[in-house]
Amino acid sequence: SQQGEEDPQALSIQEGENATMNCSYKTSINNLQWYRQNSGRGLVHLILIRSNEREKHSGRLRVTLDTSKKSSSLLITASRAADTASYFCATDGLDSSYKLIFGSGTRLLVRP
Amino acid sequence: DGGITQSPKYLFRKEGQNVTLSCEQNLNHDAMYWYRQDPGQGLRLIYYSQIVNDFQKGDIAEGYSVSREKKESFPLTVTSAQKNPTAFYLCASSSWGQGNTEAFFGQGTRLTVV
């Protein structure tokens, strides 16, 4: 079973707008990560947030984590056509070290 | 260059055949993973390995087998017992040190049953 579930499944926005995608998970975690996948390619790591952190920034990316709700959000500001990709959250559980579980992903389309 | 390499990029298998997908990393990572991705779907964990000569089943291990004889290599065999093997297979590795669980991915192998 997948640990994380992303919402929405698909998102279409205009270039310059912000994109927000959410991830919910089921069990307690050590860390939560976000990855990006261009069509037909491998995944690329974007950002990691630890369970004792609430917010983290990296360039145009902002990630929040709410462990009480078992949820995280990824905000991409001032989106560009090149941001078009699928975005996945991944978690490693407290009781399952090394086991990295991915969610179902959000497909983002940024229209020029 | 350091990285993780999967081969081949495309693989065709006849029904009833076993095939082996290669995954090699020169990042000196302890942990390695195999995932399966179906069209428009997320990644599902097949097997993972924390250390040489040790590996654990993921969520969809049936019909697959792995070995970890060397730190650098984690080949995946898709056996004839896997009823629907057509998918995109991704290998990853991670150092898993000091709480850093960032995974590095190969470019994937697309397996098609013909």
Side-chain angles (χ1 to χ4, degrees):
Chain A
S1 60
Q2 287 182 304
Q3 165 77 313
E5 296 295 331
E6 274 93 339
D7 167 59
Q9 289 187 333
L11 180 60
S12 179
I13 59 173
Q14 203 70 36
E15 202 165 28
E17 294 180 337
N18 295 342
T20 299
M21 49 205 90
N22 305 295
C23 167
S24 60
Y25 57 92
K26 298 175 184 175
T27 63
S28 296
I29 61 171
N30 288 311
N31 306 297
L32 186 142
Q33 305 176 57
W34 285 90
Y35 288 80
R36 167 194 168 124
Q37 183 184 35
N38 285 52
S39 181
R41 307 295 297 273
L43 278 70
V44 175
H45 182 263
L46 294 176
I47 193 166
L48 179 150
I49 186 165
R50 304 189 192 286
S51 58
N52 61 354
E53 296 176 314
R54 292 297 167 258
E55 187 171 311
K56 202 162 184 180
H57 297 254
S58 177
R60 294 185 295 114
L61 305 180
R62 173 179 169 249
V63 169
T64 62
L65 179 64
D66 186 335
T67 53
S68 66
K69 295 181 179 178
K70 292 186 169 60
S71 68
S72 173
S73 68
L74 171 68
L75 168 67
I76 304 174
T77 60
S79 64
R80 305 166 182 168
D83 293 329
T84 293
S86 292
Y87 292 83
F88 296 89
C89 66
T91 56
D92 52 338
L94 286 177
D95 60 347
S96 54
S97 294
Y98 290 85
K99 190 176 182 181
L100 192 59
I101 299 294
F102 283 79
S104 51
T106 292
R107 294 185 301 280
L108 174 66
L109 172 65
V110 181
R111 305 186 305 274
Chain B
D1 284 4
I4 183 164
T5 303
Q6 289 186 243
S7 62
K9 189 172 181 179
Y10 299 96
L11 186 57
F12 297 90
R13 188 193 94 171
K14 293 182 180 179
E15 287 197 27
Q17 279 185 338
N18 293 354
V19 289
T20 297
L21 283 60
S22 171
C23 179
E24 303 277 334
Q25 55 99 358
N26 60 5
L27 300 167
N28 200 34
H29 286 169
D30 288 316
M32 296 188 74
Y33 307 83
W34 274 106
Y35 294 91
R36 169 180 172 142
Q37 187 177 33
D38 291 284
Q41 303 297 313
L43 278 65
R44 291 186 289 169
L45 183 63
I46 305 173
Y47 270 98
Y48 63 108
S49 169
Q50 304 174 19
I51 198 169
V52 174
N53 293 322
D54 186 46
F55 48 83
Q56 287 78 41
K57 293 181 179 180
D59 297 320
I60 57 164
E62 186 175 350
Y64 300 97
S65 66
V66 293
S67 63
R68 187 86 187 274
E69 297 176 1
K70 298 186 301 181
K71 189 175 186 178
E72 301 80 16
S73 178
F74 192 40
L76 173 74
T77 296
V78 184
T79 75
S80 57
Q82 172 49 238
K83 298 305 179 189
N84 184 22
T86 294
F88 189 50
Y89 291 87
L90 287 160
C91 180
S93 69
S94 171
S95 63
W96 214 273
Q98 300 175 352
N100 178 15
T101 59
E102 174 185 348
F104 292 78
F105 279 81
Q107 290 304 301
T109 292
R110 192 167 298 280
L111 173 63
T112 304
V113 173
V114 296

